[in-house]
Amino acid sequence: MEDWTPLWISVQVAFCATVCSVFFGTLLAYGVMKLKRLRPAADVVLTLPLVLPPTVVGFFLLVLLGKNSVVGQFFNSIGLSFIFSMRGAVAAAFVVSFPLMYRSARGAMEQMDRQLLYAARTLGAGEGKIFLRVILPNCRSGIFAGTILAFARAMGEFGATIMLAGNIPGKTQTMALAVYTAVQSGNREEAFQWAVIIVILSAAAILGVNFFERGKNTGKDEGF
């Protein structure tokens, strides 16, 4: 195996998708925790990509970001096409990895000691300051664990990526797609090599999650 391009593409896609997942996942987890009646509906919508088949997620992204949709036409008009591009691979990886980040961040927030929030509000701290100075430091273990899970999920994404970004060597072909291509061409040795790399990275992610899990708070919380 001489061409390592799928590895570098996978790392770039996973990194960009994870950055987006951490930002939006943490913020939305905090926002959902503040909801009451709408919390179950919001939770369903934000978690849905986790249980849907990746090809279904890719199909909906293709419909949403394709050239025939209003959203797709808008992005095309400003030169940000998602179809058959690295940008599309990042979008697909973000959508499928986001629920893992969201669930991990929300779980950590649910376990926080609510007395810390009450004390901060009693002292006159605003919601923004509470989020940055109280919630994030106390939920860092869960957020770090979610970050690792999101990165690993984005690294191994296949179905949504091939639907939206295609399988273009040197451009959108990630390691998961390289395994598929190698099997289709009968090159089982190359497929095995890529599969081993993915397994090693996934195992490292699990070890990382286990490490951060040990640092989580033990208290439980019903919400904000």
Side-chain angles (χ1 to χ4, degrees):
M1 184 172 61
E2 298 179 357
D3 186 8
W4 292 90
T5 305
L7 173 60
W8 309 131
I9 292 177
S10 295
V11 171
Q12 293 176 56
V13 168
F15 176 80
C16 294
T18 302
V19 170
C20 295
S21 294
V22 171
F23 180 77
F24 290 106
T26 306
L27 286 180
L28 288 174
Y30 176 63
V32 169
M33 289 299 297
K34 294 175 67 65
L35 297 177
K36 294 182 179 180
R37 295 182 180 180
L38 295 178
R39 185 188 298 179
D43 194 53
V44 168
V45 172
L46 295 175
T47 310
L48 195 58
L50 184 63
V51 296
L52 286 176
T55 50
V56 174
V57 175
F59 171 74
F60 283 123
L61 286 174
L62 192 61
V63 171
L64 177 65
L65 300 174
K67 62 181 181 179
N68 295 324
S69 71
V70 175
V71 176
Q73 290 176 358
F74 168 75
F75 281 114
N76 285 334
S77 67
I78 59 176
L80 297 177
S81 175
F82 285 87
I83 308 301
F84 302 125
S85 67
M86 176 74 83
R87 196 175 293 110
V90 172
F94 162 66
V95 172
V96 299
S97 63
F98 165 84
L100 292 171
M101 183 66 230
Y102 163 74
R103 298 296 298 186
S104 296
R106 182 181 165 183
M109 292 177 189
E110 286 177 340
Q111 294 179 7
M112 271 191 60
D113 184 358
R114 295 181 66 185
Q115 297 303 319
L116 296 174
L117 302 177
Y118 297 150
R121 286 167 180 156
T122 300
L123 294 173
E127 291 301 314
K129 190 173 183 179
I130 290 174
F131 178 73
L132 294 174
R133 302 292 295 275
V134 179
I135 294 176
L136 289 184
N138 284 277
C139 296
R140 61 182 181 275
S141 294
I143 292 174
F144 286 152
T147 301
I148 295 173
L149 287 173
F151 184 84
R153 181 66 185 87
M155 180 77 74
E157 164 52 28
F158 174 81
T161 302
I162 200 170
M163 290 287 289
L164 184 65
N167 183 15
I168 307 173
K171 186 176 181 181
T172 64
Q173 187 181 78
T174 60
M175 288 189 293
L177 295 176
V179 172
Y180 173 79
T181 301
V183 171
Q184 290 295 307
S185 63
N187 192 343
R188 292 184 175 271
E189 181 180 353
E190 183 175 344
F192 179 77
Q193 291 172 340
W194 285 122
V196 168
I197 294 175
I198 294 174
V199 168
I200 292 174
L201 293 174
S202 299
I206 294 173
L207 291 174
V209 170
N210 290 339
F211 173 79
F212 286 115
E213 283 287 337
R214 289 196 293 268
K216 278 189 175 183
N217 297 321
T218 57
K220 292 187 178 180
D221 175 33
E222 295 180 354
F224 295 162

